Amino acid sequence: HKLFWALIALCVLLLLSDAFYEKHVVFEFEHWFGFFGLFGFSVSFALVLTARELRKILMRDEDYYDR
């Protein structure tokens, strides 16, 4: 449990650090508070969901190579 809470604390600290530096951005939405953290989380979550669905399509039977 300690490792989990340490990871949560680290994520919160990194999110709060977003307010203390100047960003040089290209698009206006990159100025939103916590944008890159939320973007990274949502993209990695979408990647996991996509992989779960691809597994159903690409998975072979257990004895596929034994035949």
Side-chain angles (χ1 to χ4, degrees), residues 9-36:
L10 180 64
C11 288
V12 168
L13 288 174
L14 287 173
L15 182 68
L16 291 176
S17 72
D18 193 32
F20 297 108
Y21 65 93
E22 181 182 353
K23 299 178 196 134
H24 303 283
V25 299
V26 176
F27 301 106
E28 190 60 33
F29 57 83
E30 294 178 41
H31 275 293
W32 297 348
F33 180 75
F35 169 74
F36 291 107

Side-chain angles (χ1 to χ4, degrees):
H1 290 288
K2 290 179 184 180
L3 183 62
F4 174 76
W5 289 111
L7 181 62
I8 295 295
L10 180 64
C11 288
V12 168
L13 288 174
L14 287 173
L15 182 68
L16 291 176
S17 72
D18 193 32
F20 297 108
Y21 65 93
E22 181 182 353
K23 299 178 196 134
H24 303 283
V25 299
V26 176
F27 301 106
E28 190 60 33
F29 57 83
E30 294 178 41
H31 275 293
W32 297 348
F33 180 75
F35 169 74
F36 291 107
L38 294 173
F39 179 75
F41 176 77
S42 61
V43 168
S44 59
F45 187 72
L47 183 63
V48 168
L49 293 179
T50 303
R52 275 182 51 188
E53 296 304 314
L54 275 175
R55 182 178 181 268
K56 294 175 185 175
I57 297 169
L58 299 175
M59 194 170 80
R60 304 285 185 187
D61 294 332
E62 271 188 49
D63 62 344
Y64 178 76
Y65 291 105
D66 294 332
R67 287 189 252 171

